[in-house]
Amino acid sequence: MDSTSSDAGKEDDDESSSSSTTSGSEATSPKRSELDDFREQWQKELKKEQHVASAATVAPAGGNVGDGKDSIEQQARLLFQQGSELERSGKVFEAMRLYRRATQLVPDIEFRVYDKKHAKATTAAAEVDGLMERMLEANIDEDEENLEGVDLGLRFQTLMARSGKLFERASGDRKLIVTSAHFSDLPMEVILYILRWVVSNDLDLKSLERFASVCRGFYLLARDPEIWRHACMRIWGVNLGVLKGTPFSSWREMYINRPRILFHGCYISRTSYLRSGENSFQDQFYRPIQLVEYYRYFRFFADGKVLMMTTADEPQQCVVRLKQRVPTQNEILRGHYRLHDDIVIVVIQRNRPSAAGQMQRPGRKARDIEPEYGQQTFLMELQIVSTGKRPFSQLHWKQYTMVQQRNNQEKTTQFELTTTKYPPLYFSRVKSYHQESEGPLK
């Protein structure tokens, strides 16, 4: 009984120990699996690194590793390139090991690799430049090329791409010793700002075109789309619209071809007709015939203001009076205009004569003297007409109405527009109008 009980106790102990060992192994098995995974991954990385190193130590075809300086440099370059690839993939530690081995073989391997790449890039750029020069020499001959129908902007851009400069000093000026900066040394933004002053608020685009005729660089600068867009905006304002929805390819083309008013002069018309005079009290059979001749002047400004003057004086004497925006003569009438397609709508009001020049007794209050003709407002519609050589150089009368207010009564008069009394107005340029610039184009 004792032996059997002891055997049974041993079996129970064995079972308990086996169960305890199995439970312990089950408890420690997750930790061992994580550690095993880490070891397996580490071994894979070591094998991969050894494989890369063994591939790097293989000498290129045609010799062993130690066959001269060329083979050593090639081996160092190969190690450096492989290190660069590992660094790009994010494996910086492995890349540093390959960099160290490459620098041990050739200390300045980094500079040699860079010089070789730079030499290849320089050679490719030289080949492209040579090809461009051959194409330009074959297609563009500056002396013999026929420029009729050629897009000068595109041609000049191609020539500037070859030289790499917008404009430069003349060849004779390079030998001179100068103490001041040349115009070509100015930044592009400064030159464009100067051009805004050239155009000014009065839209002196004729001076801009003269600037463009100096050289190729000035030609390209004068074609700046922002300058022409601001010029179009100043003329048409909210009616400008979007360039994409118009038949014009650029703002400059819109400014040139779309009907507009000219600002560098004034529109002049001469009216002449015969009028019968009164009979003489001495001779009833004598009746004189009088020739009446007078001029009508219009000067338009880019900000929407207009001046009108009707006088018998010659244009040489009158155009100077219209130079100022706010004239002092009472004979010059001021008003505003609006441009609608090819129709110019003008509204002008006759100025009241000032009472400052009239005699006033001391101690008496100055009275607001109403003129004998009352308050007059002129409403006119003129059509812009182009001729063969001069675009937008004529204004034809379409409607002329006068509204007169006197003694709280309003009277409207519609004038009959005949070619004898209201001939077309012809544009005449006045150089003194744009001699000075009051402000840049905005």
Side-chain angles (χ1 to χ4, degrees):
M1 292 293 292
D2 296 335
S3 62
T4 56
S5 62
S6 62
D7 294 337
K10 290 180 181 179
E11 291 178 358
D12 294 338
D13 294 338
D14 294 337
E15 290 178 358
S16 62
S17 62
S18 62
S19 62
S20 63
T21 54
T22 53
S23 62
S25 62
E26 290 176 358
T28 58
S29 59
K31 295 183 180 179
R32 289 182 180 179
S33 62
E34 293 178 358
L35 183 60
D36 292 339
D37 293 340
F38 175 77
R39 287 177 178 175
E40 289 177 0
Q41 184 178 0
W42 182 47
Q43 289 177 359
K44 289 180 181 180
E45 291 179 357
L46 288 177
K47 290 180 180 180
K48 186 176 181 180
E49 183 179 352
Q50 291 176 0
H51 177 70
V52 172
S54 62
T57 55
V58 176
N64 297 325
V65 177
D67 293 343
K69 296 182 179 180
D70 294 338
S71 60
I72 296 176
E73 183 177 351
Q74 291 177 0
Q75 182 181 358
R77 183 176 287 107
L78 182 60
L79 289 172
F80 189 86
Q81 292 175 355
Q82 291 176 355
S84 300
E85 294 177 358
L86 291 176
E87 185 178 1
R88 292 192 192 97
S89 62
K91 299 179 180 180
V92 183
F93 181 74
E94 292 82 352
M96 292 297 296
R97 296 181 64 180
L98 294 180
Y99 286 155
R100 189 180 298 110
R101 293 185 60 184
T103 53
Q104 288 176 357
L105 295 176
V106 179
D108 58 343
I109 185 61
E110 181 179 0
F111 299 99
R112 295 190 181 186
V113 172
Y114 174 77
D115 293 339
K116 188 174 182 180
K117 290 183 178 180
H118 184 67
K120 290 182 179 179
T122 305
T123 305
E127 292 178 357
V128 172
D129 293 340
L131 179 61
M132 182 177 292
E133 289 182 0
R134 290 193 297 271
M135 292 175 61
L136 291 173
E137 291 176 358
N139 297 329
I140 299 178
D141 191 352
E142 300 181 13
D143 297 330
E144 300 179 359
E145 185 184 8
N146 186 10
L147 299 180
E148 293 183 0
V150 177
D151 188 358
L152 293 180
L154 181 60
R155 178 178 182 272
F156 289 163
Q157 287 178 359
T158 307
L159 293 174
M160 293 303 168
R162 179 176 62 177
S163 61
K165 295 182 179 180
L166 193 60
F167 41 78
E168 57 184 0
R169 303 183 184 183
S171 58
D173 297 340
R174 297 176 183 176
K175 299 180 181 180
L176 298 177
I177 299 176
V178 294
T179 58
S180 59
H182 190 260
F183 191 81
S184 60
D185 299 332
L186 295 176
M188 186 79 64
E189 294 78 6
V190 176
I191 300 177
L192 292 177
Y193 186 72
I194 293 174
L195 290 184
R196 290 179 180 269
W197 275 91
V198 172
V199 177
S200 73
N201 290 327
D202 295 330
L203 298 184
D204 187 10
L205 275 305
K206 193 174 184 64
S207 298
L208 184 65
E209 291 298 313
R210 290 182 176 178
F211 175 85
S213 62
V214 175
C215 64
R216 299 169 184 168
F218 287 3
Y219 183 91
L220 295 177
L221 288 173
R223 297 301 187 271
D224 181 60
E226 282 299 314
I227 295 178
W228 293 96
R229 187 181 69 85
H230 281 82
C232 294
M233 180 67 72
R234 191 162 179 81
I235 292 179
W236 292 286
V238 295
N239 297 325
L240 177 62
V242 184
L243 183 62
K244 187 176 181 180
T246 60
F248 309 108
S249 60
S250 63
W251 295 111
R252 181 175 179 272
E253 184 180 353
M254 176 187 290
Y255 183 88
I256 293 175
N257 297 324
R258 189 171 175 178
R260 56 184 171 83
I261 291 293
L262 304 180
F263 304 111
H264 57 285
C266 56
Y267 291 87
I268 306 173
S269 68
R270 184 179 67 177
T271 304
S272 59
Y273 61 92
L274 298 176
R275 185 178 65 181
S276 300
E278 297 181 356
N279 295 334
S280 176
F281 67 93
Q282 296 179 354
D283 188 359
Q284 297 295 329
F285 297 98
Y286 174 74
R287 189 172 185 178
I289 301 297
Q290 299 174 352
L291 175 62
V292 180
E293 183 175 291
Y294 63 92
Y295 295 87
R296 185 178 281 111
Y297 302 88
F298 280 91
R299 192 203 169 177
F300 297 89
F301 295 91
D303 57 354
K305 296 180 180 180
V306 61
L307 301 178
M308 186 183 76
M309 181 175 61
T310 303
T311 179
D313 297 336
E314 294 289 334
Q316 291 80 2
Q317 304 173 3
C318 297
V319 292
V320 183
R321 306 177 193 173
L322 301 174
K323 186 176 181 180
Q324 302 297 329
R325 294 176 181 268
V326 184
T328 56
Q329 298 89 347
N330 291 328
E331 59 183 354
I332 301 177
L333 307 182
R334 292 181 295 171
H336 296 82
Y337 75 94
R338 289 293 180 268
L339 191 61
H340 187 269
D341 293 335
D342 60 341
I343 301 297
V344 184
I345 303 173
V346 182
V347 179
I348 294 179
Q349 189 173 8
R350 184 181 291 274
N351 299 328
R352 286 175 175 267
S354 60
Q358 299 182 4
M359 296 296 295
Q360 296 289 338
R361 293 184 180 181
R364 290 193 176 185
K365 185 178 180 181
R367 296 181 300 171
D368 188 8
I369 302 175
E370 184 179 2
E372 59 181 3
Y373 47 78
Q375 190 76 22
Q376 293 180 347
T377 304
F378 302 95
L379 306 176
M380 292 165 279
E381 290 186 5
L382 304 170
Q383 184 179 10
I384 303 174
V385 179
S386 301
T387 58
K389 297 182 179 180
R390 303 185 63 185
F392 322 127
S393 60
Q394 295 183 15
L395 294 178
H396 291 191
W397 292 89
K398 302 296 291 183
Q399 186 178 355
Y400 189 12
T401 306
M402 182 184 68
V403 179
Q404 185 176 8
Q405 294 180 353
R406 186 178 182 184
N407 298 328
N408 296 328
Q409 294 182 358
E410 182 176 321
K411 180 181 179 181
T412 303
T413 304
Q414 185 80 24
F415 294 97
E416 183 181 358
L417 302 179
T418 59
T419 56
T420 56
K421 291 186 178 181
Y422 297 95
L425 294 102
Y426 296 89
F427 180 78
S428 177
R429 183 191 173 196
V430 183
K431 295 182 180 180
S432 61
Y433 286 173
H434 287 167
Q435 284 184 349
E436 298 178 357
S437 178
E438 297 180 356
L441 175 64
K442 295 181 180 179

